[in-house]
Amino acid sequence: MFELLGVPPQALFGQLLLGLINGAFYAILSLGLAVIFGLLNVINFAHGAQYMMGAFATWMLLQYFGVPYWGALVAAPVLVGIFGMLLERLFLSRLYHLDHLYGLLLTFGLALIIEGLFRQQFGSSGLPYTNPIPGGANLGFMFLPYYRAWVVAFSLFVCFGTWFLIEKTKLGSYLRAATEKRDLVQAFGVNVPRMITLTYGFGVGLAALAGVLAAPIYTVNPLMGSNLIIVVFAVVVIGGMGSILGAILTGFGLGIVEGFTKVFYPEASNTVIFILMAIVLMIRPAGLFGTQR
Amino acid sequence: MAEAGAALLKVKDLHAWYGESHILHGVDFEVHQGQVVTLLGRNGAGKTTTLRAIIGLLRRREGSILCEGAETIRLPSNRIARLGLAYCPEERGIFASLNVRENLLLPPVVKPGGMTEEEVHRLFPQLQARAASQGTKLSGGEQQMLAIARILRTGARLLLLDEPTEGLAPVIVRQIGTIIRTLKQRGFTILLVEQNFHFAATVSDCHYVVEHGHIIDRIDNRELAANRSKLEAYLGV
Protein backbone atom coordinates (compact mmCIF):
# COMPACT_ATOMS: atom_id res chain seq x y z
CA MET A 1 0.00 0.00 0.00
CA PHE A 2 0.94 3.69 0.05
CA GLU A 3 3.49 5.34 2.24
CA LEU A 4 3.49 8.92 3.51
CA LEU A 5 6.88 10.59 3.98
CA GLY A 6 8.40 7.16 4.45
CA VAL A 7 5.92 6.19 7.18
CA PRO A 8 3.98 2.95 6.66
CA PRO A 9 0.19 3.42 6.88
CA GLN A 10 -0.11 0.91 9.74
CA ALA A 11 2.03 3.15 11.92
CA LEU A 12 0.30 6.31 10.76
CA PHE A 13 -3.26 5.09 11.33
CA GLY A 14 -2.25 3.26 14.48
CA GLN A 15 -0.99 6.51 15.96
CA LEU A 16 -4.03 8.37 14.63
CA LEU A 17 -6.25 5.95 16.55
CA LEU A 18 -4.13 6.30 19.66
CA GLY A 19 -4.35 10.07 19.25
CA LEU A 20 -8.13 9.86 18.96
CA ILE A 21 -8.31 7.76 22.15
CA ASN A 22 -6.17 10.24 24.08
CA GLY A 23 -8.16 13.05 22.51
CA ALA A 24 -11.39 11.43 23.71
CA PHE A 25 -10.11 11.49 27.30
CA TYR A 26 -8.86 15.06 26.93
CA ALA A 27 -12.22 16.12 25.51
CA ILE A 28 -14.39 14.52 28.21
CA LEU A 29 -12.16 15.76 31.00
CA SER A 30 -11.78 19.32 29.70
CA LEU A 31 -15.52 19.43 29.05
CA GLY A 32 -16.18 18.63 32.73
CA LEU A 33 -13.66 21.26 33.82
CA ALA A 34 -15.24 23.85 31.52
CA VAL A 35 -18.77 23.18 32.81
CA ILE A 36 -17.60 23.42 36.44
CA PHE A 37 -15.50 26.53 35.90
CA GLY A 38 -18.30 28.23 33.98
CA LEU A 39 -20.88 28.05 36.74
CA LEU A 40 -18.84 27.63 39.93
CA ASN A 41 -15.80 29.73 39.05
CA VAL A 42 -13.75 26.91 40.56
CA ILE A 43 -10.73 25.40 38.82
CA ASN A 44 -11.38 21.80 39.79
CA PHE A 45 -7.94 20.38 40.50
CA ALA A 46 -9.56 17.25 41.92
CA HIS A 47 -10.68 16.34 38.38
CA GLY A 48 -7.81 13.89 37.88
CA ALA A 49 -8.52 12.21 41.21
CA GLN A 50 -12.21 11.96 40.32
CA TYR A 51 -11.26 10.35 36.97
CA MET A 52 -9.14 7.85 38.91
CA MET A 53 -12.08 7.23 41.27
CA GLY A 54 -14.23 6.40 38.23
CA ALA A 55 -11.71 3.75 37.16
CA PHE A 56 -11.46 2.36 40.71
CA ALA A 57 -15.23 2.34 41.11
CA THR A 58 -15.41 0.26 37.92
CA TRP A 59 -12.83 -2.18 39.27
CA MET A 60 -14.46 -2.37 42.72
CA LEU A 61 -17.96 -2.83 41.33
CA LEU A 62 -16.73 -5.90 39.43
CA GLN A 63 -14.46 -7.22 42.18
CA TYR A 64 -16.75 -6.80 45.19
CA PHE A 65 -20.26 -6.77 43.73
CA GLY A 66 -19.90 -8.63 40.44
CA VAL A 67 -21.21 -5.64 38.45
CA PRO A 68 -19.85 -5.96 34.88
CA TYR A 69 -18.39 -3.15 32.77
CA TRP A 70 -21.73 -2.15 31.23
CA GLY A 71 -23.32 -1.70 34.64
CA ALA A 72 -20.31 0.26 35.87
CA LEU A 73 -20.57 2.56 32.87
CA VAL A 74 -23.73 3.95 34.50
CA ALA A 75 -23.15 3.23 38.20
CA ALA A 76 -19.57 4.51 38.57
CA PRO A 77 -20.23 8.05 37.24
CA VAL A 78 -23.38 8.27 39.39
CA LEU A 79 -21.56 7.16 42.55
CA VAL A 80 -18.54 9.40 42.00
CA GLY A 81 -20.89 12.26 40.98
CA ILE A 82 -22.74 11.90 44.31
CA PHE A 83 -19.38 11.99 46.10
CA GLY A 84 -18.63 15.21 44.18
CA MET A 85 -21.93 16.75 45.27
CA LEU A 86 -21.08 15.98 48.90
CA LEU A 87 -17.70 17.71 48.46
CA GLU A 88 -19.45 20.70 46.93
CA ARG A 89 -22.00 21.00 49.75
CA LEU A 90 -19.48 20.40 52.55
CA PHE A 91 -16.48 22.40 51.32
CA LEU A 92 -16.61 24.17 47.98
CA SER A 93 -19.87 26.02 48.62
CA ARG A 94 -18.12 27.93 51.44
CA LEU A 95 -15.58 29.46 49.06
CA TYR A 96 -17.70 31.01 46.29
CA HIS A 97 -17.42 34.55 47.65
CA LEU A 98 -13.59 34.29 47.61
CA ASP A 99 -11.08 34.45 44.75
CA HIS A 100 -10.87 31.31 42.52
CA LEU A 101 -7.44 30.61 43.91
CA TYR A 102 -9.08 29.27 47.08
CA GLY A 103 -11.18 26.77 45.16
CA LEU A 104 -8.08 25.67 43.27
CA LEU A 105 -6.11 25.15 46.49
CA LEU A 106 -8.97 23.29 48.15
CA THR A 107 -9.53 20.93 45.23
CA PHE A 108 -5.77 20.40 44.88
CA GLY A 109 -5.61 19.41 48.55
CA LEU A 110 -8.61 17.11 48.14
CA ALA A 111 -6.92 15.46 45.14
CA LEU A 112 -3.80 14.75 47.22
CA ILE A 113 -5.87 13.28 50.07
CA ILE A 114 -7.99 11.12 47.74
CA GLU A 115 -4.95 9.83 45.84
CA GLY A 116 -3.10 9.18 49.09
CA LEU A 117 -5.98 7.15 50.49
CA PHE A 118 -6.23 5.03 47.34
CA ARG A 119 -2.47 4.46 47.30
CA GLN A 120 -2.58 3.42 50.94
CA GLN A 121 -5.34 0.93 50.22
CA PHE A 122 -4.38 -0.43 46.79
CA GLY A 123 -0.67 0.32 46.33
CA SER A 124 0.60 2.06 43.25
CA SER A 125 1.48 -0.85 40.98
CA GLY A 126 -1.94 -0.85 39.32
CA LEU A 127 -4.79 -3.32 39.00
CA PRO A 128 -5.79 -5.01 35.75
CA TYR A 129 -9.30 -4.80 34.28
CA THR A 130 -10.39 -7.23 31.61
CA ASN A 131 -11.31 -5.79 28.23
CA PRO A 132 -15.10 -6.17 27.89
CA ILE A 133 -14.99 -6.21 24.06
CA PRO A 134 -11.92 -8.24 23.07
CA GLY A 135 -10.84 -8.72 19.48
CA GLY A 136 -10.69 -6.35 16.57
CA ALA A 137 -11.03 -5.98 12.84
CA ASN A 138 -8.31 -5.90 10.23
CA LEU A 139 -9.17 -2.98 8.00
CA GLY A 140 -6.33 -3.69 5.60
CA PHE A 141 -4.48 -0.47 6.31
CA MET A 142 -4.61 -1.01 10.09
CA PHE A 143 -5.84 -3.26 12.88
CA LEU A 144 -8.77 -1.75 14.80
CA PRO A 145 -9.36 -3.14 18.31
CA TYR A 146 -13.11 -3.11 18.98
CA TYR A 147 -12.80 -1.66 22.47
CA ARG A 148 -10.82 1.34 21.22
CA ALA A 149 -13.36 1.97 18.48
CA TRP A 150 -16.06 1.87 21.18
CA VAL A 151 -14.18 4.40 23.34
CA VAL A 152 -13.85 6.87 20.47
CA ALA A 153 -17.46 6.48 19.30
CA PHE A 154 -18.96 6.61 22.79
CA SER A 155 -16.84 9.63 23.76
CA LEU A 156 -18.03 11.51 20.70
CA PHE A 157 -21.59 10.63 21.65
CA VAL A 158 -21.09 11.83 25.26
CA CYS A 159 -19.37 15.05 24.17
CA PHE A 160 -21.99 16.02 21.62
CA GLY A 161 -24.77 14.90 23.96
CA THR A 162 -23.39 17.28 26.59
CA TRP A 163 -23.03 20.03 24.03
CA PHE A 164 -26.65 19.53 22.95
CA LEU A 165 -27.87 19.50 26.55
CA ILE A 166 -26.12 22.77 27.34
CA GLU A 167 -26.59 24.68 24.10
CA LYS A 168 -29.98 23.50 22.87
CA THR A 169 -32.24 22.67 25.81
CA LYS A 170 -34.19 24.66 28.37
CA LEU A 171 -32.11 23.17 31.21
CA GLY A 172 -28.98 24.25 29.37
CA SER A 173 -30.34 27.79 28.98
CA TYR A 174 -30.56 28.04 32.80
CA LEU A 175 -26.97 26.86 33.05
CA ARG A 176 -25.72 29.33 30.43
CA ALA A 177 -27.68 32.18 31.99
CA ALA A 178 -26.47 31.38 35.52
CA THR A 179 -22.90 31.23 34.21
CA GLU A 180 -23.34 34.85 33.10
CA LYS A 181 -25.48 36.35 35.89
CA ARG A 182 -26.05 33.94 38.70
CA ASP A 183 -27.84 36.39 41.02
CA LEU A 184 -30.35 37.50 38.41
CA VAL A 185 -31.26 33.91 37.51
CA GLN A 186 -31.86 33.22 41.19
CA ALA A 187 -33.98 36.38 41.47
CA PHE A 188 -36.20 34.92 38.71
CA GLY A 189 -37.04 32.05 41.06
CA VAL A 190 -34.47 29.41 40.09
CA ASN A 191 -32.85 27.52 42.97
CA VAL A 192 -29.30 28.35 41.86
CA PRO A 193 -27.46 26.77 44.83
CA ARG A 194 -29.09 23.42 44.01
CA MET A 195 -28.25 23.89 40.33
CA ILE A 196 -24.59 24.52 41.26
CA THR A 197 -24.46 21.30 43.30
CA LEU A 198 -25.98 19.29 40.44
CA THR A 199 -23.64 20.90 37.91
CA TYR A 200 -20.59 20.02 39.97
CA GLY A 201 -21.93 16.48 40.30
CA PHE A 202 -22.39 16.34 36.52
CA GLY A 203 -18.84 17.59 35.83
CA VAL A 204 -17.39 15.10 38.32
CA GLY A 205 -19.56 12.37 36.78
CA LEU A 206 -18.03 13.15 33.37
CA ALA A 207 -14.53 12.75 34.87
CA ALA A 208 -15.58 9.41 36.37
CA LEU A 209 -17.04 8.31 33.03
CA ALA A 210 -13.66 8.92 31.41
CA GLY A 211 -12.22 6.79 34.22
CA VAL A 212 -14.59 3.92 33.39
CA LEU A 213 -13.58 4.09 29.72
CA ALA A 214 -9.90 4.13 30.73
CA ALA A 215 -10.05 1.14 33.09
CA PRO A 216 -9.69 -1.60 30.41
CA ILE A 217 -7.04 0.37 28.46
CA TYR A 218 -4.68 1.51 31.19
CA THR A 219 -4.07 -0.26 34.46
CA VAL A 220 -6.26 1.07 37.27
CA ASN A 221 -3.77 3.06 39.31
CA PRO A 222 -4.13 5.69 42.06
CA LEU A 223 -1.84 8.07 40.15
CA MET A 224 -3.45 7.66 36.71
CA GLY A 225 -5.31 10.94 37.16
CA SER A 226 -2.43 13.12 38.25
CA ASN A 227 -0.43 12.03 35.19
CA LEU A 228 -3.25 12.93 32.84
CA ILE A 229 -4.60 16.08 34.49
CA ILE A 230 -1.51 18.18 33.74
CA VAL A 231 -1.98 17.58 30.01
CA VAL A 232 -5.72 18.22 30.34
CA PHE A 233 -5.08 21.60 31.94
CA ALA A 234 -2.79 22.46 29.03
CA VAL A 235 -5.64 21.44 26.69
CA VAL A 236 -8.01 23.71 28.60
CA VAL A 237 -5.58 26.62 28.38
CA ILE A 238 -5.25 26.10 24.62
CA GLY A 239 -9.00 25.76 24.06
CA GLY A 240 -9.92 28.51 26.47
CA MET A 241 -12.48 28.48 29.24
CA GLY A 242 -16.05 29.29 28.48
CA SER A 243 -16.75 27.32 25.31
CA ILE A 244 -18.26 23.85 25.41
CA LEU A 245 -17.67 23.13 21.74
CA GLY A 246 -14.17 24.59 22.10
CA ALA A 247 -13.32 22.10 24.87
CA ILE A 248 -14.49 19.18 22.72
CA LEU A 249 -12.74 20.24 19.51
CA THR A 250 -9.51 21.16 21.28
CA GLY A 251 -9.49 17.85 23.19
CA PHE A 252 -9.84 15.67 20.10
CA GLY A 253 -7.66 17.96 17.97
CA LEU A 254 -4.74 17.93 20.39
CA GLY A 255 -4.99 14.15 20.82
CA ILE A 256 -4.57 13.81 17.06
CA VAL A 257 -1.72 16.33 16.96
CA GLU A 258 0.03 14.35 19.68
CA GLY A 259 -0.54 11.10 17.75
CA PHE A 260 0.96 12.47 14.55
CA THR A 261 3.91 13.92 16.45
CA LYS A 262 4.65 10.37 17.65
CA VAL A 263 4.90 9.29 14.01
CA PHE A 264 6.89 12.14 12.55
CA TYR A 265 9.00 13.38 15.45
CA PRO A 266 8.59 11.03 18.41
CA GLU A 267 11.04 12.97 20.59
CA ALA A 268 8.56 15.86 20.80
CA SER A 269 5.42 13.81 21.44
CA ASN A 270 5.38 14.43 25.19
CA THR A 271 5.99 18.14 24.87
CA VAL A 272 4.08 19.15 21.74
CA ILE A 273 0.95 20.12 23.70
CA PHE A 274 2.95 22.33 26.04
CA ILE A 275 4.73 23.98 23.12
CA LEU A 276 1.34 24.70 21.54
CA MET A 277 0.15 26.03 24.88
CA ALA A 278 3.05 28.49 25.01
CA ILE A 279 2.35 29.66 21.46
CA VAL A 280 -1.38 30.09 22.11
CA LEU A 281 -0.68 32.02 25.31
CA MET A 282 1.49 34.43 23.36
CA ILE A 283 -1.01 34.99 20.56
CA ARG A 284 -4.40 34.53 22.20
CA PRO A 285 -4.11 34.52 26.00
CA ALA A 286 -7.81 33.69 26.43
CA GLY A 287 -7.39 30.49 24.35
CA LEU A 288 -8.59 29.54 20.88
CA PHE A 289 -12.30 29.51 21.79
CA GLY A 290 -12.23 31.38 25.09
CA THR A 291 -13.67 34.71 26.06
CA GLN A 292 -12.02 37.16 28.44
CA ARG A 293 -13.71 37.30 31.82
CA MET B 1 -58.43 55.43 43.63
CA ALA B 2 -56.56 52.18 44.06
CA GLU B 3 -55.53 53.25 47.57
CA ALA B 4 -58.49 51.29 48.86
CA GLY B 5 -56.95 48.00 47.67
CA ALA B 6 -54.96 45.81 50.05
CA ALA B 7 -51.26 46.55 50.51
CA LEU B 8 -49.54 44.07 48.20
CA LEU B 9 -46.13 45.18 49.39
CA LYS B 10 -45.42 46.73 52.76
CA VAL B 11 -41.87 47.86 53.51
CA LYS B 12 -41.14 48.85 57.12
CA ASP B 13 -37.93 50.21 58.60
CA LEU B 14 -35.82 48.58 55.87
CA HIS B 15 -32.06 48.77 56.34
CA ALA B 16 -29.64 47.38 53.78
CA TRP B 17 -25.89 47.17 53.28
CA TYR B 18 -23.51 46.76 50.34
CA GLY B 19 -20.59 45.04 52.04
CA GLU B 20 -19.68 47.40 54.88
CA SER B 21 -21.56 50.44 53.65
CA HIS B 22 -24.95 51.06 55.18
CA ILE B 23 -27.13 52.30 52.30
CA LEU B 24 -30.75 52.17 53.45
CA HIS B 25 -31.53 53.71 56.84
CA GLY B 26 -35.11 52.71 57.56
CA VAL B 27 -37.22 52.88 54.39
CA ASP B 28 -41.03 52.77 54.84
CA PHE B 29 -43.64 52.66 52.10
CA GLU B 30 -46.55 50.64 50.72
CA VAL B 31 -47.68 49.55 47.30
CA HIS B 32 -51.33 48.71 46.89
CA GLN B 33 -52.90 46.18 44.57
CA GLY B 34 -53.21 47.54 41.02
CA GLN B 35 -51.16 50.69 41.64
CA VAL B 36 -48.16 52.05 39.81
CA VAL B 37 -45.83 53.54 42.43
CA THR B 38 -42.60 55.41 41.72
CA LEU B 39 -39.50 55.80 43.82
CA LEU B 40 -38.02 59.15 42.78
CA GLY B 41 -34.69 60.51 43.88
CA ARG B 42 -31.25 61.61 42.88
CA ASN B 43 -28.42 59.30 41.84
CA GLY B 44 -27.21 57.30 44.81
CA ALA B 45 -30.26 58.06 46.97
CA GLY B 46 -30.97 54.34 47.48
CA LYS B 47 -33.75 53.67 44.93
CA THR B 48 -32.07 50.77 43.17
CA THR B 49 -30.85 49.40 46.50
CA THR B 50 -34.45 49.40 47.73
CA LEU B 51 -35.58 47.32 44.73
CA ARG B 52 -32.63 44.94 45.09
CA ALA B 53 -33.38 44.56 48.80
CA ILE B 54 -37.03 43.73 48.07
CA ILE B 55 -36.15 40.97 45.59
CA GLY B 56 -33.47 39.63 47.96
CA LEU B 57 -30.32 40.46 46.00
CA LEU B 58 -28.53 42.01 48.97
CA ARG B 59 -26.72 39.81 51.45
CA ARG B 60 -27.53 41.91 54.49
CA ARG B 61 -30.96 43.47 55.08
CA GLU B 62 -32.98 44.16 58.19
CA GLY B 63 -36.47 45.40 58.94
CA SER B 64 -39.62 44.02 57.38
CA ILE B 65 -40.81 43.44 53.81
CA LEU B 66 -44.29 41.96 53.67
CA CYS B 67 -45.45 40.61 50.34
CA GLU B 68 -49.20 39.81 50.46
CA GLY B 69 -48.74 39.51 54.20
CA ALA B 70 -45.78 37.09 54.01
CA GLU B 71 -42.51 38.20 55.62
CA THR B 72 -39.66 37.95 53.09
CA ILE B 73 -36.75 39.59 54.90
CA ARG B 74 -35.05 36.25 55.63
CA LEU B 75 -35.89 34.48 52.35
CA PRO B 76 -33.41 33.86 49.51
CA SER B 77 -34.25 35.63 46.26
CA ASN B 78 -35.55 32.51 44.49
CA ARG B 79 -38.18 31.99 47.23
CA ILE B 80 -39.18 35.68 47.11
CA ALA B 81 -39.66 35.46 43.32
CA ARG B 82 -41.91 32.43 43.86
CA LEU B 83 -44.30 34.63 45.89
CA GLY B 84 -45.10 36.48 42.67
CA LEU B 85 -42.50 39.26 42.39
CA ALA B 86 -40.55 39.84 39.22
CA TYR B 87 -37.52 42.05 38.78
CA CYS B 88 -36.29 43.99 35.74
CA PRO B 89 -32.80 45.31 36.53
CA GLU B 90 -31.42 48.70 35.58
CA GLU B 91 -28.74 47.21 33.33
CA ARG B 92 -31.56 45.09 31.78
CA GLY B 93 -29.78 41.80 32.41
CA ILE B 94 -30.09 40.36 28.91
CA PHE B 95 -28.02 37.18 28.55
CA ALA B 96 -25.43 37.19 25.76
CA SER B 97 -25.24 33.40 25.56
CA LEU B 98 -29.01 33.09 25.00
CA ASN B 99 -30.96 34.10 21.92
CA VAL B 100 -33.96 36.41 22.17
CA ARG B 101 -36.48 33.59 22.48
CA GLU B 102 -34.38 31.79 25.12
CA ASN B 103 -34.10 35.07 27.05
CA LEU B 104 -37.86 35.49 26.82
CA LEU B 105 -38.58 31.98 28.07
CA LEU B 106 -35.88 31.89 30.75
CA PRO B 107 -37.69 33.10 33.90
CA PRO B 108 -39.67 30.15 35.23
CA VAL B 109 -43.43 30.41 35.70
CA VAL B 110 -43.98 31.08 39.41
CA LYS B 111 -47.78 31.37 39.50
CA PRO B 112 -50.64 30.56 37.15
CA GLY B 113 -52.24 33.35 35.13
CA GLY B 114 -49.18 34.79 33.38
CA MET B 115 -49.33 35.94 29.76
CA THR B 116 -48.83 33.39 27.01
CA GLU B 117 -45.98 33.77 24.56
CA GLU B 118 -48.49 35.00 21.90
CA GLU B 119 -49.88 37.67 24.23
CA VAL B 120 -46.35 38.86 24.99
CA HIS B 121 -45.60 39.01 21.26
CA ARG B 122 -48.77 41.01 20.62
CA LEU B 123 -47.50 43.57 23.13
CA PHE B 124 -43.90 43.47 21.81
CA PRO B 125 -44.16 42.58 18.10
CA GLN B 126 -40.53 43.46 17.36
CA LEU B 127 -39.27 40.65 19.62
CA GLN B 128 -40.88 37.93 17.53
CA ALA B 129 -39.05 38.99 14.38
CA ARG B 130 -35.71 38.84 16.19
CA ALA B 131 -36.35 35.60 18.11
CA ALA B 132 -33.20 33.87 16.85
CA SER B 133 -30.81 36.82 17.35
CA GLN B 134 -28.35 36.85 20.20
CA GLY B 135 -29.97 38.69 23.13
CA THR B 136 -27.32 41.37 23.41
CA LYS B 137 -27.39 42.11 19.64
CA LEU B 138 -30.71 43.94 20.11
CA SER B 139 -30.80 47.74 20.35
CA GLY B 140 -31.00 49.31 23.81
CA GLY B 141 -34.74 49.90 23.45
CA GLU B 142 -35.38 46.35 22.26
CA GLN B 143 -33.33 44.95 25.13
CA GLN B 144 -35.45 46.98 27.55
CA MET B 145 -38.62 45.63 25.92
CA LEU B 146 -37.22 42.09 26.21
CA ALA B 147 -36.32 42.62 29.88
CA ILE B 148 -39.92 43.66 30.60
CA ALA B 149 -41.50 41.10 28.27
CA ARG B 150 -39.81 38.09 29.87
CA ILE B 151 -41.25 38.77 33.32
CA LEU B 152 -44.84 38.99 32.07
CA ARG B 153 -45.03 35.27 31.32
CA THR B 154 -44.19 34.19 34.84
CA GLY B 155 -47.50 34.89 36.54
CA ALA B 156 -45.86 37.40 38.89
CA ARG B 157 -48.31 40.21 39.72
CA LEU B 158 -45.87 42.68 41.24
CA LEU B 159 -43.27 44.01 38.80
CA LEU B 160 -40.17 45.83 40.02
CA LEU B 161 -38.87 47.98 37.15
CA ASP B 162 -35.57 49.77 37.63
CA GLU B 163 -35.26 52.88 35.40
CA PRO B 164 -36.80 51.34 32.28
CA THR B 165 -36.42 54.61 30.34
CA GLU B 166 -32.77 55.28 31.12
CA GLY B 167 -30.72 56.23 28.08
CA LEU B 168 -33.53 55.61 25.58
CA ALA B 169 -34.81 57.84 22.77
CA PRO B 170 -38.03 59.82 23.45
CA VAL B 171 -40.06 57.68 21.02
CA ILE B 172 -39.05 54.51 22.91
CA VAL B 173 -39.75 56.17 26.25
CA ARG B 174 -43.32 56.94 25.05
CA GLN B 175 -43.68 53.30 23.95
CA ILE B 176 -42.59 52.09 27.38
CA GLY B 177 -45.09 54.50 28.95
CA THR B 178 -47.87 52.94 26.85
CA ILE B 179 -46.77 49.48 27.88
CA ILE B 180 -46.77 50.36 31.59
CA ARG B 181 -50.29 51.79 31.31
CA THR B 182 -51.44 48.67 29.45
CA LEU B 183 -49.95 46.47 32.16
CA LYS B 184 -51.74 48.48 34.82
CA GLN B 185 -55.03 48.02 32.97
CA ARG B 186 -54.36 44.31 32.95
CA GLY B 187 -54.11 44.38 36.73
CA PHE B 188 -50.36 44.30 37.27
CA THR B 189 -48.98 46.20 40.24
CA ILE B 190 -45.78 48.06 39.43
CA LEU B 191 -43.03 49.54 41.57
CA LEU B 192 -40.98 51.81 39.36
CA VAL B 193 -37.62 53.45 40.04
CA GLU B 194 -37.20 56.66 38.04
CA GLN B 195 -35.10 59.80 37.89
CA ASN B 196 -37.27 61.28 35.17
CA PHE B 197 -40.37 62.57 36.99
CA HIS B 198 -41.90 63.90 33.77
CA PHE B 199 -42.10 60.29 32.63
CA ALA B 200 -43.20 59.03 36.06
CA ALA B 201 -46.04 61.57 36.10
CA THR B 202 -47.52 59.97 32.95
CA VAL B 203 -47.79 56.48 34.43
CA SER B 204 -47.84 56.57 38.24
CA ASP B 205 -50.51 56.85 40.91
CA CYS B 206 -48.13 58.08 43.56
CA HIS B 207 -44.50 58.96 44.13
CA TYR B 208 -42.20 58.39 47.07
CA VAL B 209 -39.12 60.60 47.25
CA VAL B 210 -35.95 58.81 48.39
CA GLU B 211 -32.96 60.66 49.82
CA HIS B 212 -29.93 59.34 51.75
CA GLY B 213 -31.59 55.97 52.27
CA HIS B 214 -34.87 57.36 53.68
CA ILE B 215 -38.28 58.13 52.24
CA ILE B 216 -38.61 61.88 52.76
CA ASP B 217 -41.97 62.55 51.13
CA ARG B 218 -44.98 61.00 49.46
CA ILE B 219 -46.73 62.89 46.68
CA ASP B 220 -49.96 61.75 45.08
CA ASN B 221 -49.84 62.04 41.30
CA ARG B 222 -52.98 64.26 41.31
CA GLU B 223 -51.16 66.72 43.56
CA LEU B 224 -48.00 66.69 41.50
CA ALA B 225 -48.64 70.05 39.80
CA ALA B 226 -49.14 71.78 43.15
CA ASN B 227 -45.96 70.23 44.54
CA ARG B 228 -43.83 70.76 41.49
CA SER B 229 -41.38 73.27 42.97
CA LYS B 230 -40.92 71.13 46.08
CA LEU B 231 -40.20 68.07 43.92
CA GLU B 232 -37.76 69.98 41.74
CA ALA B 233 -35.90 71.02 44.88
CA TYR B 234 -35.75 67.38 46.05
CA LEU B 235 -34.41 66.15 42.74
CA GLY B 236 -32.13 69.12 42.16
CA VAL B 237 -33.45 69.79 38.68
Side-chain angles (χ1 to χ4, degrees), chain A residues 110-136:
Chain A
L110 287 171
L112 292 178
I113 293 170
I114 295 168
E115 283 174 357
L117 290 173
F118 274 83
R119 205 158 49 171
Q120 169 79 16
Q121 189 63 32
F122 298 99
S124 48
S125 54
L127 304 162
Y129 191 89
T130 315
N131 182 348
I133 336 175

Side-chain angles (χ1 to χ4, degrees), chain B:
Chain B
M1 164 102 206
E3 200 70 38
L8 189 59
L9 181 74
K10 198 167 186 169
V11 176
K12 269 193 82 175
D13 194 28
L14 175 64
H15 290 253
W17 286 259
Y18 270 120
E20 291 295 302
S21 30
H22 191 171
I23 308 289
L24 300 184
H25 302 266
V27 169
D28 293 270
F29 68 96
E30 290 180 6
V31 180
H32 292 261
Q33 184 87 48
Q35 270 189 326
V36 177
V37 171
T38 318
L39 299 178
L40 288 171
R42 300 186 203 205
N43 257 336
K47 310 181 298 289
T48 293
T49 308
T50 306
L51 278 202
R52 291 174 61 86
I54 293 169
I55 197 69
L57 282 171
L58 297 181
R59 235 165 222 271
R60 186 164 168 217
R61 2 180 233 140
E62 284 169 14
S64 164
I65 303 170
L66 294 174
C67 180
E68 288 187 280
E71 181 56 72
T72 67
I73 197 82
R74 305 248 162 270
L75 296 182
S77 60
N78 52 311
R79 300 259 317 270
I80 297 174
R82 297 267 164 194
L83 295 173
L85 275 75
Y87 171 59
C88 174
E90 186 178 9
E91 70 288 353
R92 295 166 192 141
I94 300 304
F95 297 96
S97 55
L98 272 59
N99 67 29
V100 171
R101 183 153 189 268
E102 285 173 325
N103 266 288
L104 185 64
L105 300 182
L106 183 78
V109 170
V110 295
K111 289 207 162 172
M115 289 189 190
T116 62
E117 205 181 337
E118 289 90 69
E119 283 176 306
V120 172
H121 279 143
R122 231 171 290 143
L123 211 52
F124 302 94
Q126 62 274 54
L127 295 181
Q128 193 163 18
R130 313 247 359 222
S133 312
Q134 188 189 342
T136 45
K137 291 268 158 69
L138 297 182
S139 70
E142 286 168 330
Q143 288 192 30
Q144 186 61 62
M145 302 286 179
L146 178 55
I148 298 174
R150 70 178 167 193
I151 58 176
L152 303 178
R153 286 176 38 259
T154 65
R157 303 303 292 165
L158 174 57
L159 310 182
L160 311 175
L161 308 182
D162 196 348
E163 297 213 34
T165 62
E166 194 192 15
L168 299 179
V171 54
I172 313 276
V173 172
R174 278 196 293 279
Q175 233 177 321
I176 288 176
T178 311
I179 286 162
I180 291 177
R181 283 186 295 272
T182 309
L183 294 177
K184 183 184 154 125
Q185 275 166 17
R186 292 202 181 199
F188 284 97
T189 306
I190 296 173
L191 177 59
L192 186 68
V193 160
E194 262 304 331
Q195 293 204 51
N196 176 352
F197 83 85
H198 300 288
F199 172 76
T202 66
V203 295
S204 295
D205 297 304
C206 92
H207 312 272
Y208 286 97
V209 182
V210 187
E211 200 173 285
H212 302 309
H214 298 277
I215 300 284
I216 54 164
D217 205 351
R218 177 189 183 284
I219 300 172
D220 206 285
N221 202 45
R222 288 169 302 184
E223 297 154 13
L224 195 66
N227 289 291
R228 197 176 173 109
S229 54
K230 193 165 74 168
L231 192 58
E232 282 176 353
Y234 288 144
L235 300 177
V237 287

Side-chain angles (χ1 to χ4, degrees), chain A residues 186-201:
Chain A
Q186 185 164 1
F188 285 148
V190 177
N191 188 342
V192 172
R194 188 173 64 194
M195 194 167 117
I196 288 176
T197 305
L198 291 171
T199 302
Y200 189 72

Side-chain angles (χ1 to χ4, degrees), chain A residues 37-99:
Chain A
F37 182 75
L39 188 61
L40 282 76
N41 243 330
V42 164
I43 299 165
N44 185 32
F45 243 87
H47 218 64
Q50 287 152 348
Y51 157 83
M52 175 273 287
M53 286 177 76
F56 265 96
T58 309
W59 182 86
M60 286 190 257
L61 281 166
L62 181 66
Q63 207 68 18
Y64 305 148
F65 305 100
V67 178
Y69 176 84
W70 303 104
L73 197 62
V74 177
V78 170
L79 291 171
V80 181
I82 290 172
F83 171 77
M85 290 193 264
L86 284 174
L87 289 184
E88 194 276 337
R89 275 294 87 202
L90 285 173
F91 303 115
L92 273 175
S93 59
R94 296 167 204 278
L95 299 177
Y96 295 144
H97 60 287
L98 300 171
D99 190 81

